[in-house]
Amino acid sequence: MAAAPPDGQEKVIAAAQHIVKSLASSKNAADDMIRILSGFDNRLSLMSDLFPPPPGAAAGGPISEADEGTSQGDGEGHEEDEPDPNDDDAAARAEAEWDAAAEVIERWDSPSAGDRTVFGSREDAEEYLAAAACLAGAPGPRAEAALQAAMARLEDEFRHLLIRWSSPLAAEDLQASLLRRLSLTVPSFNSSAVDLDCPSFANHAGEGGDEPAGRSSVSDDEISPYLIAPDTVGALRDIADVMLRAGYAPELCQVYGEVRRDTLMECLAVLGVDRMSLEEVQRVEWGVLDGKMKKWIQALKVVVRGLLAEERRICSQILVADPNAEEECFAEAAKGCVLQLLNFGDAIAIGKRSSEKLFRILGMYEALADVLPELEGLFSGEAKDFIKEEAEGILVRLGDAVRGTIAEFASAIQGETSRRPLPGGEIHPLTRYVMNYVRLLADYNASLNQLLEYWDTELNGGDNPNMTPLGHCVLMLITHLQSKIDEKSRLYEDEALQNIFLMNNLLYIVQKVKDSELKTLLGDNWIRKRRGQIRQYSTGYLRSSWTRVLACLRDDGLPQTMGSSSALKNALKDRFKNFNLAFEELYRTQTSWRVVDPQLREELKISISEKVLPAYRSFVGRFRGQLEGGRGSARYIKYNPEDLENQVSDFFEGKRPNA
């Protein structure tokens, strides 16, 4: 005989003993009830006289599988159908127990109960749940009325616990907390087993007694702020067990779905994803929309890998008694959150296209493609099929938006119509914009190669069989840009300045390719050809700028008579005068021109010096004597070679002439 229980336990133990005895004739019901009661309080499971042994079993000993087989066997000597002389007594006891259970329920519905909640104390909760479980399936109007009252109260208590013990959503720091704790650490949900390898889940594992050996629980402040308090999960599970076994799954699922849906939607708002219609998305200015798209990309990963994965885990713990109810509750809780995310993605995909949106759209495409398998894995049945179809459709439309935006960008390059030449032949803003844009495309290499694989070959800009789809796309865009730059070079009347402009812009293009992943896409041969073009522009510049200057330093056309011939002196004066005028004109104009790249700038100066200075030095050396000593000779031989070299060093620096 077990020792008398401590004061305060008599009522609970007596109720439990009555319930177990009354259910002795139904093995399954008894097993279920024993499991429920054992979960309420370990005091019950320690009492050896609470669960009497079956016939043939040793008193107080466990029931083995062999014992169960004997008691339920089909062989001879089976006495299940023999009349039990105690049937009347068992029926009377069962009726008394149902009345006692109904009395517990009715007491909580009386005015004396006031505003107290059943789950205000552990003892009250255990007694009430045991009474409600006892009434499940009990006959008679009183038992049925009491059961309905119990289910209504448990539904309210379930709702109250869900709302009260979901950690409150704080202010601005919640988003940072979610991103920090979840975006890179929360494992994906596996429908066949809950992954407990993440430390943030460790203290939840301990609830069911199956925490991995050697793992210490984390502190409360390490738990993500949206989770249901761990101690509450067990109470919610106990309520769910009783309601499910009493046939109240629809009511339970409705409460769970409503409360958790609102909580998840609130988390989504904190993450910066607002409910927006297509019209609202279309009206938002780009700066605001860009921020919302960025938050959407972050939120999608946090929601799928954090919020929903954890919601699924908690849902499976609370509704462990009924897998179907678990699936329904999770779907109802999660669908609204998922659909709001997907609807925003769809609004972006089908919205007005503009070049600045491309990289955000690519980011959204990659984020959705990345989490899609995990998102599908969270759901099952019709909900899974629905979510999968919606998400895959949006993924296709985002891909269409990417291709369409690139095509429009190509058209925008070709249609650029500015007619004002840049002073000094500098790099055109179109060149900078297009090359920075194209360089960013390389960051999405894998996705764009997939999205552009079957794109129109004419738009792909070439038929090089060794080039990737993205390579074709980049080549197309740069080819359009070069054509536009050639067109804009003709806005300059000075042929030399045309060549400076072409050199500046083409070298900028080449450097952007050479210093990025674009080099891999276009190849070394493409770079070599463009460098050859730059050398051609350099030669064109030297020819158009310095041919007239160098003509002044040639012997061609000078009188053949040497000595003090006045004809020769006059010719030399004209030559030096024309040289000075031509050089000074070039100095005046070309010091205001700007060659942007320092290395190219120095190479051009060296090329000028190598052509002009030796010719000038030779000419002066041969004819200085014809003019020296004469009247005003210094007016003609104004520069020595060192002076010219210093003057050339000022070229292409973008200096503005003095007013």
Side-chain angles (χ1 to χ4, degrees), residues 2-30:
D7 292 341
Q9 297 183 17
E10 293 89 344
K11 181 182 262 185
V12 175
I13 295 169
Q17 287 173 327
H18 281 308
I19 294 168
V20 173
K21 289 178 183 178
S22 68
L23 295 171
S25 61
S26 172
K27 181 181 183 303
N28 291 337

Side-chain angles (χ1 to χ4, degrees), residues 217-240:
S217 297
V218 294
S219 61
D220 288 344
D221 61 358
E222 292 179 279
I223 302 303
S224 299
Y226 61 86
L227 299 179
I228 297 174
D231 291 343
T232 308
V233 172
L236 291 167
R237 180 173 57 240
D238 292 337
I239 296 175

